Amino acid sequence: SCYSGSISRRVCAKYYPESTEIPDNSLYMIEDAISEEEEQVLISYLHSRFKNKKYQGAHWDSVITRYREVECVHVPAQVQMIVENVQDIIQDVMGENFKFLSPHAIDLAAKGGFIGPHIDRIKFSGKIVAGLS
């Protein structure tokens, strides 16, 4: 997930099975996955989470530079409801029930913040990667 002060209310979900082949229809874009009100709830929550965090130079795998990251565990009920609604949308679109890992939020620095091309590992990300950006 990418956080830059506003969220475009859409979800992009990518699904890669265990094999290295990328299947057709492996990327889904879902417009307006959350409402403007839900967007504001998430922005407010993330502002509070990022408030005292410093930007890191580079991620351990060197794919991300100048970023802050938080894992969203034990979130307020309003945030949890939004997360669950997005998960339901993803499962409906994919036609499969997934076990979701705890969401993470990433804030890229305005100058020098970058996420390079990469393939997420199932071990760390699960079978599906979905982002609000």
Side-chain angles (χ1 to χ4, degrees):
S1 305
C2 238
Y3 170 79
S4 62
S6 98
I7 298 169
S8 68
R9 294 186 312 283
R10 67 176 155 210
V11 170
C12 297
K14 227 179 207 181
Y15 171 64
Y16 294 110
E18 296 291 333
S19 74
T20 57
E21 289 183 29
I22 300 173
D24 291 336
N25 301 322
S26 63
L27 176 66
Y28 298 89
M29 179 136 346
I30 304 162
E31 299 286 340
D32 298 321
I34 63 172
S35 69
E36 289 183 30
E37 294 80 18
E38 291 169 323
E39 175 182 0
Q40 290 307 310
V41 168
L42 293 177
I43 289 170
S44 176
Y45 170 70
L46 292 173
H47 272 298
S48 70
R49 292 294 310 274
F50 283 125
K51 188 174 160 181
N52 296 317
K53 289 190 80 66
K54 296 192 184 301
Y55 287 100
Q56 303 295 310
H59 195 259
W60 61 269
D61 60 5
S62 300
V63 172
I64 307 173
T65 58
R66 300 273 302 133
Y67 73 100
R68 301 183 291 186
E69 181 176 20
V70 292
E71 185 175 8
C72 302
V73 181
H74 308 296
V75 298
Q78 250 187 321
V79 172
Q80 183 62 35
M81 191 163 51
I82 296 167
V83 168
E84 289 173 4
N85 287 342
V86 169
Q87 290 172 343
D88 288 345
I89 291 168
I90 292 166
Q91 291 185 128
D92 286 347
V93 168
M94 300 299 292
E96 185 175 339
N97 288 324
F98 292 96
K99 179 179 186 238
F100 290 94
L101 303 175
S102 297
H104 287 73
I106 297 173
D107 177 29
L108 299 175
K111 292 186 179 183
F114 179 76
I115 299 176
H118 65 285
I119 297 175
D120 290 306
R121 296 195 177 265
I122 291 173
K123 177 180 178 182
F124 302 115
S125 301
K127 286 175 68 176
I128 189 166
V129 175
L132 289 170
S133 62

